[in-house]
Amino acid sequence: MSYQLSPSADRGALPSGRVMPPGEEVASFATYAEAQHAVDSLSDEGFPVQYLAIVGTDLRQVENITGRMSWGRAVASGVGSGLWIGLFFGAMLSFLGPSRNSGAVSFAAAVIMGVVWGVLFQVIAYALTRGRRDFTSTSSVVASRYSIIAAREARAAAQSLAATPGNLSRGGEAARRAEERRRARLEASDGPTAFGSRPDEQPRFGVRVPEGEDPAAYARGGAGEDAADESAAAGEDAAGPAAPSDGKTPDA
């Protein structure tokens, strides 16, 4: 698919810096990976992706708990972090040492000192918490929704991303799911339904339903009672009490 840039497209790409990029939202996704995949697909099609931006909205700081913290885990964590520091400085000293023997000694001393420093640092840091944080965790900032903003060629980008899996914007996957639910409701409704249960329902006119009553049950009950009353009234009018021929009231 080829894209024809508008005459205003030569004004430059999106502005750099900590500013909100201008443009129109062409797609929206629940995860950053889906938004990244969508932009990559546009790039593969030859779309000028320099006019796009991924904007995360409704930012939240998430802290994932990784486990329980104890003195043993504090020492083990200190050994691991200090070992890497010791290996780094030991390698530097071994290369800069005057002789091979002194370089090996310097390497071993740097590793030991790094481990000791790492253990001391972790143990002191854990002791300062005084039992108020007996767990380990990792923190990250995530967004509840990732929008793709296009400063140029927004219509072409929206059409290309309409069928992308995970697209939550208008015309995307959310709109298709809503259409499928509407069709399922229409197919499942074989008979008359309560007013307001169907999105395409026309206005109805009739008796006002009392508050708290089920419209369908009230309609069935009201229709039966009205029919019975009308039948009884018609019977009384047709049969009516017969008047006596002698003008006297018959005895009971």
Side-chain angles (χ1 to χ4, degrees):
M1 182 177 181
S2 60
Y3 297 91
Q4 299 293 332
L5 297 181
S6 60
S8 60
D10 56 353
R11 298 180 182 178
L14 293 175
S16 59
R18 298 179 180 273
V19 295
M20 184 67 184
E24 181 181 350
E25 180 179 312
V26 297
S28 178
F29 300 90
T31 62
Y32 177 77
E34 293 175 339
Q36 183 181 12
H37 175 72
V39 175
D40 183 68
S41 64
L42 288 179
S43 178
D44 295 339
E45 295 177 2
F47 185 86
V49 292
Q50 64 269 21
Y51 302 117
L52 301 179
I54 300 177
V55 179
T57 59
D58 196 7
L59 298 180
R60 293 183 174 91
Q61 182 177 358
V62 179
E63 184 175 4
N64 296 315
I65 310 303
T66 58
R68 183 178 180 275
M69 190 63 177
S70 61
W71 290 105
R73 294 198 65 173
V75 172
S77 178
V79 170
S81 59
L83 182 61
W84 286 107
I85 297 175
L87 289 174
F88 174 75
F89 284 103
M92 296 294 294
L93 292 175
S94 62
F95 284 118
L96 298 177
S99 62
R100 182 177 300 179
N101 294 332
S102 62
V105 174
S106 300
F107 180 82
V111 170
I112 295 174
M113 292 182 62
V115 170
V116 172
W117 168 253
V119 171
L120 288 177
F121 179 80
Q122 289 292 339
V123 168
I124 294 174
Y126 179 62
L128 292 177
T129 61
R130 299 180 181 179
R132 293 190 302 268
R133 188 181 175 87
D134 291 338
F135 60 90
T136 58
S137 63
T138 58
S139 298
S140 60
V141 177
V142 297
S144 61
R145 188 168 63 93
Y146 294 88
S147 302
I148 297 180
I149 307 298
R152 303 284 188 274
E153 303 297 327
R155 185 174 182 179
Q159 292 177 353
S160 299
L161 296 176
T164 304
N167 188 1
L168 303 177
S169 61
R170 295 178 56 187
E173 186 174 349
R176 291 193 296 270
R177 289 199 301 265
E179 181 66 20
E180 293 175 358
R181 290 195 297 267
R182 188 182 69 84
R183 292 178 180 177
R185 286 196 299 267
L186 293 178
E187 294 175 357
S189 60
D190 297 333
T193 59
F195 180 73
S197 61
R198 294 170 55 183
D200 58 342
E201 191 170 16
Q202 299 297 326
R204 300 180 182 180
F205 302 94
V207 180
R208 183 181 296 275
V209 179
E211 184 177 2
E213 293 287 343
D214 183 17
Y218 184 82
R220 290 193 299 269
E225 293 176 0
D226 294 342
D229 294 342
E230 292 177 359
S231 177
E236 291 177 358
D237 293 341
S245 59
D246 55 359
K248 297 180 180 181
T249 303
D251 298 335

